[in-house]
Amino acid sequence: MTERRDTVMGMMQKIQENKIYIGSLPLPIFIVCSIIVIIAAQLNMLPKTLIGGFAVILPLGWCLGTIGQNIPFFKKFGAPAILSLIVPSILVYYGVFDENTLAATKMLMKDSNFLLFYIASLVCGSILGMHRVILIQGFIRMMIPMLLGMCIAAVVGVAVAVAFGDTWEHAFFYTVSPVMAGGIGEGVLQLSNAYSNILNQNYDFFVSALIPATVVGNFFAITFTAIMSRIGELKPQLSGHGQLVKIEFDGLADALKEDKTPLDARAMSGAIMILATLFIFGMILEKITHFPGPVLMIIATAIVKYFRLLPESVERGSQQWYKFISGNFTFPLMAGLGLLYIDLGSVVNVLTVPYFITIISVVLTVSMTGFVCSFFLKMYPVEASIISSCQSGMGGTGDVAILSTANRMNLMPFAQVATRLGGALMVICTTALLRYLHM
């Protein structure tokens, strides 16, 4: 009894001294801010602007992330990221949030596309902060498991579905392909449009039929990533601790050394201009080449890094901006994604054991292909498996969820290539096969 009282007293003292933080705020300040936001939401007074959106996702993400970080055992399996993503979607499913709250979040997440800004910040910052030899070697070596995993997973997924009594056509076009199509915007919507044109059926029917596979695949990709991350902790020889390739060169020790330079606000503000310019450049190239703009942005950033076209101070500022964004906005972003992008209603309608097992077989095959290939390509198995898992996620949304679960946000450039390039190839191959079957 005395021990419990001492624990409570110690906790109260920490609260009074502002030593307990929820996200970036001391607990008392966090509570006051959250109460004000809740009152505004109840009075329908939350502004439908960036301010209103941040007022919703910051406290929600910080709270759920902090809870996840303090759950024994489960915190080692990605509890902060999983809670931040799943709990808001459950609350939306049960109607907990009012329209004003969701509208403010939509303004930030969809209308202003904060997700794209977040991904661009991570991609540019991590590439410009990475040694150019590691960068190029990583891109080259990940192509083989990406292509091999896509092919093997398609065969395995179809075989499992057929074993449960499904037809191979239905299994491939409605379950397997959506899982590896690169998310909802770049994958499911593109597939739905192709299906609608080829089969002369309603577009909305295909959207509702394909989205559940993407959502469920994303969930299991997060789960397998959490397990793989834990394996890396138990078997350190299998993990690069955030580094993808096994490579030796002069200056490797300095390249892997953590940058402890004090934050430079001027350089960080310049980084925002750099990432915005590279993103816009990717969009311009997309109009010319008809290739995904985000992938072209990654290639352009890699070229800038490889040929050292930017001063070291700008590269350092980009890396610091990446660390600031990933360190403070990851869980809030996950909360926003859970509020708007994870539709549990569509998933509940298709919950069957064969459906789950088929999707699990696809995700597991993709993940293990990366794991096995790493031994032949001099990559770290844990990192290779995690990047491969991103192929079965929800595009950029899935990449954020998967990498944050494993605390490896620096792998975002590789994950984006695996997701967007792999997804684009899946959409093209699926569309071509369907058109061939219905000529």
Side-chain angles (χ1 to χ4, degrees):
M1 190 70 179
T2 303
E3 184 178 346
R4 183 180 299 175
R5 186 171 62 250
D6 290 342
T7 302
V8 173
M9 292 299 293
M11 186 72 72
M12 292 300 296
Q13 184 176 356
K14 287 183 177 180
I15 293 175
Q16 291 175 353
E17 295 175 357
N18 288 332
K19 291 183 177 180
I20 295 181
Y21 274 70
I22 304 294
S24 303
L25 291 175
L27 180 59
I29 305 299
F30 174 84
I31 292 175
V32 171
C33 292
S34 299
I35 290 174
I36 292 174
V37 172
I38 292 172
I39 292 174
Q42 294 300 312
L43 296 176
N44 199 34
M45 293 178 62
L46 269 181
K48 297 174 185 177
T49 61
L50 295 180
I51 293 177
F54 279 122
V56 173
I57 69 168
L58 287 174
L60 185 60
W62 284 344
C63 179
L64 293 172
T66 302
I67 292 173
Q69 289 169 342
N70 289 278
I71 299 177
F73 181 74
F74 290 105
K75 65 182 179 181
K76 299 181 180 294
F77 290 89
I82 293 173
L83 283 181
S84 299
L85 184 68
I86 299 300
V87 171
S89 63
I90 293 174
L91 296 178
V92 170
Y93 179 70
Y94 285 104
V96 173
F97 292 103
D98 58 88
E99 288 298 322
N100 184 215
T101 301
L102 295 177
T105 308
K106 179 178 178 293
M107 174 61 200
L108 171 67
M109 298 298 298
K110 290 190 174 182
D111 297 345
S112 298
N113 212 334
F114 178 59
L115 172 62
L116 213 52
F117 176 76
Y118 176 93
I119 291 175
S121 298
L122 264 58
V123 165
C124 291
S126 54
I127 287 179
L128 294 177
M130 194 182 302
H131 194 283
R132 58 181 188 158
V133 174
I134 297 176
L135 175 69
I136 299 303
Q137 288 294 319
F139 279 137
I140 293 173
R141 297 183 193 189
M142 63 173 281
M143 291 299 174
I144 294 176
M146 181 188 77
L147 297 173
L148 197 60
M150 186 173 67
C151 296
I152 297 176
V155 173
V156 171
V158 169
V160 170
V162 170
F164 280 103
D166 200 355
T167 63
W168 79 264
E169 294 96 336
H170 185 271
F172 178 77
F173 291 111
Y174 292 90
T175 305
V176 174
S177 184
V179 172
M180 297 186 289
I184 294 177
E186 298 86 351
V188 167
L189 298 185
Q190 304 302 323
L191 284 176
S192 299
N193 186 53
Y195 291 4
S196 176
N197 291 333
I198 296 171
L199 301 176
N200 293 317
Q201 295 184 31
N202 186 268
Y203 170 82
D204 293 337
F205 165 77
F206 293 113
V207 172
S208 60
L210 300 182
I211 282 181
T214 307
V215 176
V216 175
N218 188 71
F219 174 78
F220 285 115
I222 294 171
T223 304
F224 289 144
T225 295
I227 295 172
M228 193 58 63
S229 178
R230 183 58 178 156
I231 290 174
E233 294 175 5
L234 298 175
K235 303 284 186 179
Q237 68 274 18
L238 298 177
S239 173
H241 306 289
Q243 182 183 340
L244 175 61
V245 295
K246 297 178 181 179
I247 188 171
E248 296 291 339
F249 59 89
D250 293 337
L252 175 62
D254 293 334
L256 298 179
K257 191 179 299 182
E258 183 179 359
D259 182 15
K260 296 184 179 180
T261 308
L263 293 181
D264 185 343
R266 182 179 181 181
M268 289 170 66
S269 63
I272 300 175
M273 187 64 221
I274 294 297
L275 74 89
T277 302
L278 288 168
F279 178 82
I280 293 170
F281 183 63
M283 295 299 103
I284 293 173
L285 292 180
E286 180 178 9
K287 294 293 184 182
I288 300 172
T289 64
H290 303 290
F291 204 71
V295 174
L296 295 172
M297 178 192 71
I298 293 172
I299 295 173
T301 309
I303 292 173
V304 168
K305 173 64 182 181
Y306 187 79
F307 289 102
R308 297 174 177 172
L309 300 180
L310 293 175
E312 186 178 341
S313 60
V314 176
E315 291 185 351
R316 185 181 299 112
S318 298
Q319 187 177 23
Q320 290 180 349
W321 176 252
Y322 146 76
K323 290 181 177 180
F324 171 75
I325 287 289
S326 63
N328 294 282
F329 289 90
T330 297
F331 297 141
L333 178 78
M334 298 282 285
L337 297 175
L339 286 172
L340 299 177
Y341 288 84
I342 308 298
D343 184 6
L344 290 187
S346 64
V347 176
V348 170
N349 294 330
V350 295
L351 294 183
T352 62
V353 172
Y355 189 78
F356 271 123
I357 294 178
T358 299
I359 292 178
I360 289 173
S361 69
V362 173
V363 179
L364 181 61
T365 301
V366 168
S367 177
M368 293 312 298
T369 299
F371 187 88
V372 173
C373 286
S374 67
F375 292 98
F376 302 95
L377 298 171
K378 293 186 178 181
M379 296 191 294
Y380 287 99
V382 170
E383 277 71 18
S385 175
I386 290 171
I387 291 174
S388 294
S389 295
C390 291
Q391 285 183 258
S392 50
M394 291 176 59
T397 304
D399 290 344
V400 173
I402 292 166
L403 296 182
S404 62
T405 298
N407 194 27
R408 285 171 170 80
M409 298 303 288
N410 60 298
L411 296 176
M412 181 61 77
F414 305 116
Q416 280 283 288
V417 170
T419 300
R420 296 184 183 276
L421 183 56
L425 289 173
M426 194 71 208
V427 170
I428 292 170
C429 293
T430 301
T431 302
L433 179 59
L434 184 65
R435 189 174 297 278
Y436 172 77
L437 293 174
H438 292 270
M439 287 179 64

